[in-house]
Amino acid sequence: MFQSLKIQNYALIDHVDIKFDTGFITITGETGAGKSILIGALSLILGNRADTSLLKDEKRKCIVEASFNVEKYNLQHIFEYHDLDYDKETIIRREINSNGKSRAFVNDTPVNIKVLKDLGNYLVDIHSQHQNLILKDNTFHLNVIDAYADQKELIKNYKDLYTEFRKTEKEYHQLKSKAEQSKADLDYYQFQYDQLEKANLSEEEQEELENELEILNHAEEIKYNLSRALHLLTNDEGSVLTQMREADDSLKKIVDFFPKVKKLSERVESSYIEIQDIANELDVLNQDIEYDPQRLEFIQERLDEIYSLQHKHHVNTVSELIKIKKDLEKQIEEIDSMDFRLEEINNELEERKEQLTQLSDKLSESRKKVIPSIEQHITNMLVELGIPNATFNVGYENTEEFTPNGRDRIQFLFSANKNFSPEDISKVASGGELSRVMLSLKSLIAESTSLPTIIFDEIDSGTSGEIADKMGTIMKKMSRRIQVLNITHLPQIASKGDSQYLVYKEDHEDKTHTNIRKLNNEERIKEIAKMLSGEQLTDTALQNAKEFLKTS
């Protein structure tokens, strides 16, 4: 139940803090007083888009806060789904700053607009005048049927499965398209892979080959200098080794009577051994160095192959080429496995399609079952509301294609005259007739839903007199089950409210403010009298107002 509404800095409202009663509440006031502004502010709570142009004072933020008693409506699952704290006294707040940034809270927990909309769908149904246009919407027609049939669980199961079906279907088509494209690229990938595979690359090969190439290109120079170094160390009468051997012999001759040279002698001998070892290694290296034109040609060709592959694939190392080869191998394997995956997904699609068919058939059967009752109910109400020859039919057609709401197409058909076949209601009904049809439909839904509150914004537009009186009676009857708020200009309806609220304007210095207050009994008599006769209250109008209140 909608308990209270606080508004700060919204349109013509500077500050409003109002509590609402249970039952049937009527809201009245002069044209332009700001009744619809209240609906606009409440719509922010329910997730509508914020507009900074509606800030009364651009220097201050707008705050709208509403409280709801949800104790009797089994909404814990919605709070759990959105990870919100459940409280039977739920408070929803929306703040909009001058920059247009919006924040929303449910029981002081920050939420996004989607959560507001989702939760709002379980709290309030606002019917404004333009909503008569939804009679053109097939989805609305289905929602009416489903609300009356009370099959929330079945619809939820269908929609969940439908979402999975469309998701799987999308995956199938994307994979199929990718497979077709990939198969066109397979030959190219395979050629690239085969070329790299044939190259038989190894991580260190390029560096080793480049080093060997450097040696072969300078083989003669290397061999000449190795030979010369070896000759200087070993092969000449004045070679380093010969001279060191003689130096060592000279020192050993005096070591017995000149001990100080013993260590020097040992060092010379050690150096002699080290140089001898160097000479041996130089000899080995010299023998290993051979100019091999065939090997040189092979290395050049191999490096050319490696360089060519690197240039082709825009990389600088063999490691990167090896990685490209692995990636190509993976792509080829994926393409080869796509047919198998496509078959798997197609089987999933067929399975879900079968399940969808079963659920949609159940939906169709339950819908067809309640259609006669709905047709009779709405027709009777329209007759009661002053359309004596009214005929209301529900056109039903089963479709092959799955939709988010099943495989049914529903169309409301209407005729106000005898001997005229019912046609699409949006094309043949007048504005006043549409209002009465919508009230009848909302009344029907109210009987089969647990929605706490419904708000009508001048649904009685285009009616008067006895018809207005009957519309008021219907809304009052609805209020036995749910809280009903109705914004009206008609005294017949205003007088039927269990309580009545007045929206009015006040001038403060150079500014005009909209406000709202609950009327006591005397105030109600005067307000209804004004609605009957205008600003000039007459005794007759006051007496009529009293009669209206007494008989309502």
Side-chain angles (χ1 to χ4, degrees), residues 188 191-202 205-206 301-322 324-325 328:
Y188 174 74
F191 173 77
Q192 301 278 42
Y193 173 81
D194 290 344
Q195 191 177 41
L196 290 169
E197 175 71 10
K198 184 179 178 182
N200 194 26
L201 301 167
S202 61
E205 181 183 12
Q206 181 179 355
E301 289 177 353
R302 179 60 173 168
L303 284 173
D304 285 344
E305 181 182 15
I306 292 172
Y307 295 151
S308 176
L309 289 171
Q310 288 173 344
H311 178 74
K312 178 178 180 178
H313 293 283
H314 307 290
V315 296
N316 298 312
T317 66
V318 171
S319 297
E320 290 172 297
L321 288 174
I322 291 172
I324 289 171
K325 188 187 107 173
L328 285 168

Side-chain angles (χ1 to χ4, degrees), residues 392-448:
F392 181 86
N393 290 155
V394 178
Y396 172 85
E397 180 184 356
N398 189 255
T399 63
E400 290 298 320
E401 184 180 353
F402 295 108
T403 74
N405 300 294
R407 291 194 298 167
D408 304 311
R409 184 177 290 113
I410 299 292
Q411 185 179 36
F412 289 162
L413 307 173
F414 172 77
S415 172
N417 304 302
K418 283 185 177 180
N419 301 320
F420 279 85
S421 300
E423 296 181 41
D424 181 352
I425 191 168
S426 64
K427 296 179 180 178
V428 298
S430 67
E433 289 166 344
L434 285 176
S435 294
R436 281 175 269 184
V437 171
M438 282 302 299
L439 179 60
S440 301
L441 291 170
K442 295 284 184 176
S443 171
L444 178 75
I445 295 171
E447 291 182 7
S448 54

Side-chain angles (χ1 to χ4, degrees), residues 350-363:
E350 291 301 316
E351 183 179 344
R352 289 199 169 105
K353 188 175 181 180
E354 178 62 30
Q355 293 171 340
L356 272 178
T357 300
Q358 293 175 6
L359 286 178
S360 63
D361 286 347
K362 286 183 180 179
L363 273 175

Side-chain angles (χ1 to χ4, degrees), residues 369-382:
K369 192 178 294 184
V370 300
I371 283 175
S373 177
I374 291 172
E375 291 176 330
Q376 187 64 48
H377 181 102
I378 300 300
T379 298
N380 290 343
M381 287 196 71
L382 291 175

Side-chain angles (χ1 to χ4, degrees), residues 149-313:
D150 192 20
Q151 48 191 6
K152 288 181 182 177
E153 190 64 29
L154 180 57
I155 291 169
K156 181 182 181 302
N157 292 340
Y158 174 87
K159 290 193 175 206
D160 289 345
L161 185 59
Y162 176 82
T163 300
E164 287 300 314
F165 174 76
R166 288 302 181 203
K167 183 179 176 182
T168 306
E169 188 177 52
K170 182 180 179 181
E171 182 185 356
Y172 176 80
H173 289 304
Q174 286 177 338
L175 185 62
K176 186 176 180 182
S177 176
K178 184 179 178 182
E180 290 171 355
Q181 179 62 43
S182 296
K183 284 179 180 178
D185 296 334
L186 180 60
D187 289 343
Y188 174 74
Y189 292 150
Q190 191 67 56
F191 173 77
Q192 301 278 42
Y193 173 81
D194 290 344
Q195 191 177 41
L196 290 169
E197 175 71 10
K198 184 179 178 182
N200 194 26
L201 301 167
S202 61
E203 293 279 354
E204 308 298 331
E205 181 183 12
Q206 181 179 355
E207 184 180 356
E208 292 172 356
L209 289 174
E210 287 174 341
N211 290 335
E212 188 177 353
L213 179 63
E214 188 73 9
I215 292 170
L216 287 172
N217 281 332
H218 296 85
E220 291 184 6
E221 184 179 356
I222 292 169
K223 194 167 185 66
Y224 168 77
N225 284 285
L226 285 174
S227 298
R228 185 168 182 274
L230 183 61
H231 179 75
L232 289 170
L233 290 176
T234 62
N235 294 336
D236 192 37
E237 290 183 4
S239 70
V240 173
L241 284 174
T242 300
Q243 293 183 42
M244 289 194 73
R245 180 77 272 173
E246 291 176 355
D248 187 38
D249 288 343
S250 297
L251 292 174
K252 285 181 177 177
K253 289 177 180 179
I254 62 174
V255 72
D256 290 338
F257 46 85
F258 190 50
K260 287 183 178 182
V261 299
K262 183 178 182 181
K263 287 187 178 180
L264 291 174
S265 175
E266 291 172 352
R267 288 170 64 186
V268 170
E269 185 175 8
S270 176
S271 297
Y272 175 85
I273 294 170
E274 177 65 18
I275 292 173
Q276 180 67 57
D277 189 51
I278 291 171
N280 292 336
E281 289 190 28
L282 284 173
D283 189 37
V284 171
L285 288 174
N286 190 35
Q287 292 180 34
D288 287 343
I289 295 297
E290 292 292 339
Y291 177 71
D292 185 346
Q294 290 183 335
R295 177 64 180 171
L296 179 63
E297 184 181 1
F298 168 78
I299 291 174
Q300 287 175 330
E301 289 177 353
R302 179 60 173 168
L303 284 173
D304 285 344
E305 181 182 15
I306 292 172
Y307 295 151
S308 176
L309 289 171
Q310 288 173 344
H311 178 74
K312 178 178 180 178
H313 293 283

